[in-house]
Short mmCIF file of all heavy atoms in Angstrom, two decimals:
data_model
loop_
_atom_site.label_atom_id
_atom_site.label_comp_id
_atom_site.label_asym_id
_atom_site.label_seq_id
_atom_site.Cartn_x
_atom_site.Cartn_y
_atom_site.Cartn_z
N SER A 1188 48.77 24.52 30.22
CA SER A 1188 50.23 24.50 30.02
C SER A 1188 50.84 23.10 30.15
O SER A 1188 52.04 22.97 30.35
CB SER A 1188 50.96 25.43 30.99
OG SER A 1188 50.69 26.76 30.64
N VAL A 1190 51.33 18.90 28.76
CA VAL A 1190 51.28 17.99 27.62
C VAL A 1190 50.27 16.91 27.99
O VAL A 1190 50.45 16.19 28.97
CB VAL A 1190 52.66 17.35 27.34
CG1 VAL A 1190 52.55 16.38 26.17
CG2 VAL A 1190 53.69 18.42 27.05
N GLU A 1211 49.09 22.84 26.54
CA GLU A 1211 50.09 23.37 25.61
C GLU A 1211 50.23 22.45 24.40
O GLU A 1211 50.46 22.90 23.29
CB GLU A 1211 51.43 23.48 26.35
CG GLU A 1211 52.56 24.05 25.54
CD GLU A 1211 52.45 25.56 25.28
OE1 GLU A 1211 51.79 26.25 26.07
OE2 GLU A 1211 53.04 26.02 24.28
N SER A 1212 50.11 21.16 24.63
CA SER A 1212 50.25 20.21 23.54
C SER A 1212 49.30 19.05 23.79
O SER A 1212 49.22 18.54 24.91
CB SER A 1212 51.71 19.72 23.49
OG SER A 1212 51.87 18.81 22.45
N ILE A 1214 47.91 15.22 22.31
CA ILE A 1214 48.22 14.11 21.42
C ILE A 1214 47.11 13.08 21.54
O ILE A 1214 46.80 12.61 22.64
CB ILE A 1214 49.55 13.45 21.83
CG1 ILE A 1214 50.67 14.50 21.88
CG2 ILE A 1214 49.94 12.32 20.87
CD1 ILE A 1214 51.73 14.18 22.87
N ILE A 1218 43.59 3.44 17.31
CA ILE A 1218 43.95 2.37 16.38
C ILE A 1218 43.18 2.53 15.06
O ILE A 1218 43.58 2.01 14.02
CB ILE A 1218 43.64 1.00 17.04
CG1 ILE A 1218 44.38 -0.14 16.34
CG2 ILE A 1218 42.14 0.74 17.10
CD1 ILE A 1218 44.37 -1.43 17.13
N TYR A 1227 40.52 14.68 13.51
CA TYR A 1227 41.30 15.69 12.78
C TYR A 1227 40.41 16.84 12.35
O TYR A 1227 40.74 18.02 12.51
CB TYR A 1227 41.93 14.99 11.58
CG TYR A 1227 42.91 15.79 10.77
CD1 TYR A 1227 44.27 15.73 11.05
CD2 TYR A 1227 42.47 16.57 9.71
CE1 TYR A 1227 45.17 16.46 10.28
CE2 TYR A 1227 43.36 17.30 8.94
CZ TYR A 1227 44.71 17.24 9.23
OH TYR A 1227 45.61 17.95 8.48
N ASP A 1236 45.49 22.82 17.53
CA ASP A 1236 46.52 21.93 17.00
C ASP A 1236 46.55 20.69 17.85
O ASP A 1236 46.87 20.75 19.03
CB ASP A 1236 47.89 22.61 17.06
CG ASP A 1236 48.14 23.45 15.83
OD1 ASP A 1236 47.58 23.12 14.77
OD2 ASP A 1236 48.88 24.43 15.94
N ASP A 1238 48.10 16.71 17.83
CA ASP A 1238 48.88 15.68 17.13
C ASP A 1238 48.15 14.36 17.26
O ASP A 1238 47.59 14.05 18.31
CB ASP A 1238 50.28 15.56 17.75
CG ASP A 1238 51.27 16.51 17.10
OD1 ASP A 1238 50.84 17.35 16.29
OD2 ASP A 1238 52.47 16.41 17.42
N PHE A 1239 48.19 13.57 16.19
CA PHE A 1239 47.55 12.25 16.25
C PHE A 1239 48.54 11.16 15.90
O PHE A 1239 49.44 11.36 15.07
CB PHE A 1239 46.37 12.18 15.27
CG PHE A 1239 45.26 13.12 15.61
CD1 PHE A 1239 45.10 14.30 14.90
CD2 PHE A 1239 44.40 12.85 16.66
CE1 PHE A 1239 44.07 15.19 15.23
CE2 PHE A 1239 43.37 13.73 16.98
CZ PHE A 1239 43.21 14.90 16.27
N ILE A 1240 48.38 10.02 16.52
CA ILE A 1240 49.19 8.85 16.18
C ILE A 1240 48.25 7.67 16.00
O ILE A 1240 47.43 7.40 16.90
CB ILE A 1240 50.22 8.53 17.28
CG1 ILE A 1240 51.12 9.73 17.55
CG2 ILE A 1240 51.05 7.31 16.90
CD1 ILE A 1240 51.98 9.58 18.78
N GLN A 1241 48.34 7.02 14.85
CA GLN A 1241 47.55 5.80 14.68
C GLN A 1241 48.38 4.64 15.23
O GLN A 1241 49.48 4.36 14.74
CB GLN A 1241 47.22 5.55 13.21
CG GLN A 1241 46.22 4.42 13.05
CD GLN A 1241 45.93 4.09 11.60
OE1 GLN A 1241 46.45 4.71 10.68
NE2 GLN A 1241 45.09 3.09 11.39
N ASP A 1243 48.30 0.91 18.10
CA ASP A 1243 47.69 0.08 19.12
C ASP A 1243 48.35 0.50 20.43
O ASP A 1243 49.56 0.35 20.59
CB ASP A 1243 47.99 -1.39 18.80
CG ASP A 1243 47.37 -2.33 19.84
OD1 ASP A 1243 46.94 -1.85 20.90
OD2 ASP A 1243 47.35 -3.54 19.57
N SER A 1246 50.96 -1.65 22.10
CA SER A 1246 52.29 -1.96 21.59
C SER A 1246 53.00 -0.69 21.14
O SER A 1246 53.74 -0.70 20.17
CB SER A 1246 52.20 -2.96 20.43
OG SER A 1246 51.45 -2.43 19.38
N ASN A 1248 55.78 2.24 22.02
CA ASN A 1248 56.95 2.43 22.86
C ASN A 1248 57.14 3.90 23.15
O ASN A 1248 57.24 4.70 22.24
CB ASN A 1248 58.18 1.92 22.10
CG ASN A 1248 58.92 0.89 22.90
OD1 ASN A 1248 58.73 0.78 24.11
ND2 ASN A 1248 59.77 0.13 22.24
N TRP A 1249 57.18 4.26 24.42
CA TRP A 1249 57.33 5.67 24.80
C TRP A 1249 58.70 5.90 25.39
O TRP A 1249 59.26 5.06 26.07
CB TRP A 1249 56.30 6.05 25.85
CG TRP A 1249 54.91 5.96 25.40
CD1 TRP A 1249 54.17 4.83 25.28
CD2 TRP A 1249 54.09 7.03 24.96
NE1 TRP A 1249 52.92 5.14 24.81
CE2 TRP A 1249 52.84 6.49 24.61
CE3 TRP A 1249 54.28 8.41 24.84
CZ2 TRP A 1249 51.78 7.27 24.15
CZ3 TRP A 1249 53.23 9.18 24.40
CH2 TRP A 1249 52.00 8.60 24.05
N ARG A 1250 59.21 7.11 25.15
CA ARG A 1250 60.46 7.49 25.77
C ARG A 1250 60.20 8.67 26.69
O ARG A 1250 59.43 9.57 26.35
CB ARG A 1250 61.47 7.90 24.69
CG ARG A 1250 62.87 8.18 25.23
CD ARG A 1250 63.62 9.16 24.35
NE ARG A 1250 63.07 10.51 24.47
CZ ARG A 1250 63.36 11.35 25.48
NH1 ARG A 1250 64.20 10.98 26.43
NH2 ARG A 1250 62.82 12.57 25.54
N GLN A 1252 59.52 11.25 30.02
CA GLN A 1252 58.37 11.62 30.86
C GLN A 1252 57.76 12.90 30.34
O GLN A 1252 57.45 13.81 31.09
CB GLN A 1252 58.86 11.82 32.30
CG GLN A 1252 59.32 10.55 32.97
CD GLN A 1252 58.16 9.84 33.64
OE1 GLN A 1252 57.46 10.42 34.43
NE2 GLN A 1252 57.94 8.58 33.30
N ILE A 1253 57.61 12.97 29.02
CA ILE A 1253 57.13 14.22 28.43
C ILE A 1253 55.64 14.43 28.68
O ILE A 1253 55.21 15.52 29.01
CB ILE A 1253 57.48 14.26 26.92
CG1 ILE A 1253 59.01 14.40 26.76
CG2 ILE A 1253 56.76 15.41 26.24
CD1 ILE A 1253 59.50 14.41 25.34
N VAL A 1254 54.86 13.36 28.54
CA VAL A 1254 53.42 13.49 28.77
C VAL A 1254 53.16 13.66 30.26
O VAL A 1254 53.66 12.90 31.09
CB VAL A 1254 52.67 12.24 28.26
CG1 VAL A 1254 51.19 12.30 28.66
CG2 VAL A 1254 52.79 12.13 26.75
N GLU A 1255 52.39 14.69 30.60
CA GLU A 1255 52.11 14.94 32.02
C GLU A 1255 50.77 14.35 32.44
O GLU A 1255 50.65 13.74 33.49
CB GLU A 1255 52.15 16.46 32.26
CG GLU A 1255 53.57 16.98 32.07
CD GLU A 1255 53.65 18.47 31.86
OE1 GLU A 1255 53.14 18.97 30.85
OE2 GLU A 1255 54.24 19.14 32.73
N ARG B 566 54.34 17.12 15.48
CA ARG B 566 55.41 18.03 15.91
C ARG B 566 56.61 17.23 16.41
O ARG B 566 56.52 16.07 16.76
CB ARG B 566 54.96 18.88 17.09
CG ARG B 566 53.66 19.56 16.93
CD ARG B 566 53.35 20.17 18.27
NE ARG B 566 51.93 20.42 18.38
CZ ARG B 566 51.42 21.49 18.99
NH1 ARG B 566 52.21 22.36 19.57
NH2 ARG B 566 50.14 21.66 19.05
N LEU B 568 58.00 17.65 19.25
CA LEU B 568 57.79 17.26 20.65
C LEU B 568 57.26 15.83 20.70
O LEU B 568 57.70 15.01 21.51
CB LEU B 568 56.78 18.21 21.32
CG LEU B 568 56.32 17.84 22.74
CD1 LEU B 568 57.48 17.91 23.73
CD2 LEU B 568 55.19 18.73 23.23
N THR B 569 56.32 15.53 19.82
CA THR B 569 55.77 14.18 19.78
C THR B 569 56.82 13.19 19.27
O THR B 569 56.95 12.08 19.80
CB THR B 569 54.51 14.16 18.88
OG1 THR B 569 53.57 15.10 19.40
CG2 THR B 569 53.87 12.79 18.85
N ASN B 571 59.85 13.30 19.74
CA ASN B 571 60.84 13.09 20.80
C ASN B 571 60.43 12.04 21.82
O ASN B 571 61.24 11.55 22.60
CB ASN B 571 61.12 14.43 21.51
CG ASN B 571 62.53 14.51 22.05
OD1 ASN B 571 62.80 14.06 23.15
ND2 ASN B 571 63.44 15.05 21.26
N MET B 572 59.15 11.66 21.83
CA MET B 572 58.73 10.65 22.80
C MET B 572 58.37 9.32 22.14
O MET B 572 58.01 8.37 22.81
CB MET B 572 57.56 11.18 23.65
CG MET B 572 56.34 11.57 22.89
SD MET B 572 55.05 12.21 24.01
CE MET B 572 55.06 13.95 23.65
N SER B 574 59.15 5.91 19.96
CA SER B 574 60.26 4.99 19.77
C SER B 574 59.74 3.83 18.93
O SER B 574 58.57 3.51 18.97
CB SER B 574 60.68 4.56 21.17
OG SER B 574 61.77 3.73 21.12
N SER B 575 60.62 3.22 18.16
CA SER B 575 60.19 2.07 17.35
C SER B 575 59.72 0.96 18.27
O SER B 575 60.35 0.64 19.27
CB SER B 575 61.33 1.57 16.47
OG SER B 575 60.96 0.36 15.87
N ASN B 576 58.58 0.39 17.90
CA ASN B 576 57.94 -0.57 18.79
C ASN B 576 57.95 -1.98 18.23
O ASN B 576 57.16 -2.83 18.61
CB ASN B 576 56.49 -0.12 19.04
CG ASN B 576 55.77 0.25 17.75
OD1 ASN B 576 56.39 0.35 16.69
ND2 ASN B 576 54.48 0.44 17.82
N PHE B 584 65.11 4.38 19.29
CA PHE B 584 65.04 5.84 19.40
C PHE B 584 66.35 6.49 19.01
O PHE B 584 67.40 5.97 19.38
CB PHE B 584 64.67 6.23 20.84
CG PHE B 584 64.51 7.70 21.04
CD1 PHE B 584 63.31 8.33 20.78
CD2 PHE B 584 65.59 8.47 21.46
CE1 PHE B 584 63.17 9.69 20.95
CE2 PHE B 584 65.46 9.84 21.62
CZ PHE B 584 64.24 10.45 21.37
N LYS B 596 53.20 26.00 11.77
CA LYS B 596 52.02 26.65 12.35
C LYS B 596 52.46 27.41 13.58
O LYS B 596 53.11 26.85 14.46
CB LYS B 596 50.97 25.59 12.75
CG LYS B 596 50.35 24.86 11.57
CD LYS B 596 49.34 23.82 12.05
CE LYS B 596 49.07 22.79 10.98
NZ LYS B 596 48.42 21.58 11.50
N ASN B 601 55.64 30.31 25.16
CA ASN B 601 55.40 30.08 26.59
C ASN B 601 56.72 29.67 27.26
O ASN B 601 57.13 28.51 27.21
CB ASN B 601 54.33 28.99 26.73
CG ASN B 601 53.99 28.66 28.18
OD1 ASN B 601 54.75 28.95 29.10
ND2 ASN B 601 52.84 28.03 28.38
N PHE B 604 56.80 26.83 29.93
CA PHE B 604 56.64 25.51 29.31
C PHE B 604 57.96 25.04 28.69
O PHE B 604 58.37 23.89 28.86
CB PHE B 604 55.53 25.55 28.26
CG PHE B 604 55.31 24.24 27.56
CD1 PHE B 604 54.61 23.22 28.20
CD2 PHE B 604 55.81 24.01 26.29
CE1 PHE B 604 54.42 21.98 27.57
CE2 PHE B 604 55.62 22.78 25.65
CZ PHE B 604 54.92 21.77 26.29
N LYS B 607 60.45 23.93 31.27
CA LYS B 607 60.05 22.62 31.83
C LYS B 607 60.40 21.51 30.84
O LYS B 607 60.92 20.46 31.22
CB LYS B 607 58.54 22.68 32.09
CG LYS B 607 57.92 21.43 32.62
CD LYS B 607 56.44 21.68 32.98
CE LYS B 607 55.57 21.84 31.74
NZ LYS B 607 54.13 21.98 32.04
N MET B 608 60.13 21.74 29.55
CA MET B 608 60.36 20.71 28.55
C MET B 608 61.84 20.48 28.26
O MET B 608 62.24 19.39 27.85
CB MET B 608 59.65 21.06 27.24
CG MET B 608 58.18 20.74 27.24
SD MET B 608 57.86 18.99 27.58
CE MET B 608 56.64 19.13 28.89
N LYS B 611 63.29 17.57 29.74
CA LYS B 611 62.67 16.29 29.40
C LYS B 611 63.00 15.80 27.99
O LYS B 611 62.94 14.61 27.73
CB LYS B 611 61.14 16.40 29.53
CG LYS B 611 60.69 16.68 30.95
CD LYS B 611 59.17 16.68 31.04
CE LYS B 611 58.71 16.81 32.49
NZ LYS B 611 57.29 16.56 32.64
N GLU B 613 65.16 14.88 24.62
CA GLU B 613 66.47 14.42 24.20
C GLU B 613 66.97 15.42 23.18
O GLU B 613 66.48 15.48 22.04
CB GLU B 613 66.31 13.05 23.52
CG GLU B 613 66.79 11.90 24.34
CD GLU B 613 68.23 11.58 24.03
OE1 GLU B 613 68.70 11.86 22.91
OE2 GLU B 613 68.89 11.04 24.92
N LYS B 674 48.96 13.15 6.11
CA LYS B 674 48.17 14.25 6.70
C LYS B 674 48.59 14.50 8.15
O LYS B 674 47.76 14.71 9.02
CB LYS B 674 46.67 13.94 6.64
CG LYS B 674 46.08 14.19 5.25
CD LYS B 674 44.67 13.67 5.15
CE LYS B 674 43.64 14.65 5.68
NZ LYS B 674 42.26 14.11 5.57
N PRO B 677 51.30 9.85 11.90
CA PRO B 677 52.12 8.65 11.71
C PRO B 677 51.31 7.38 11.98
O PRO B 677 50.53 7.34 12.93
CB PRO B 677 53.25 8.80 12.74
CG PRO B 677 52.80 9.81 13.71
CD PRO B 677 51.69 10.61 13.09
N ASN B 678 51.50 6.41 11.14
CA ASN B 678 50.84 5.12 11.34
C ASN B 678 51.84 4.15 11.97
O ASN B 678 52.72 3.64 11.29
CB ASN B 678 50.33 4.59 10.00
CG ASN B 678 49.63 3.25 10.15
OD1 ASN B 678 49.71 2.61 11.20
ND2 ASN B 678 48.96 2.81 9.11
N MET B 679 51.69 3.94 13.27
CA MET B 679 52.62 3.09 14.02
C MET B 679 52.08 1.68 14.21
O MET B 679 52.59 0.92 15.04
CB MET B 679 52.91 3.71 15.39
CG MET B 679 53.49 5.12 15.38
SD MET B 679 55.11 5.24 14.59
CE MET B 679 56.13 4.36 15.80
N LEU B 680 51.05 1.34 13.47
CA LEU B 680 50.49 -0.02 13.59
C LEU B 680 51.50 -1.04 13.09
O LEU B 680 52.15 -0.83 12.07
CB LEU B 680 49.20 -0.14 12.78
CG LEU B 680 47.96 0.58 13.33
CD1 LEU B 680 46.80 0.41 12.36
CD2 LEU B 680 47.58 0.05 14.70
#
Side-chain angles (χ1 to χ4, degrees):
Chain A
S1188 290
V1190 179
E1211 182 73 24
S1212 180
I1214 305 151
I1218 198 166
Y1227 187 92
D1236 273 332
D1238 271 7
F1239 295 103
I1240 303 169
Q1241 189 183 0
D1243 180 347
S1246 61
N1248 235 342
W1249 297 79
R1250 186 207 71 81
Q1252 293 272 305
I1253 291 178
V1254 173
E1255 293 162 296
Chain B
R566 310 172 201 218
L568 173 65
T569 303
N571 210 274
M572 60 181 107
S574 183
S575 171
N576 48 350
F584 183 86
K596 293 179 199 164
N601 180 341
F604 180 77
K607 179 174 72 176
M608 280 302 130
K611 296 184 174 191
E613 253 268 333
K674 281 171 84 180
N678 180 348
M679 302 297 290
L680 288 177

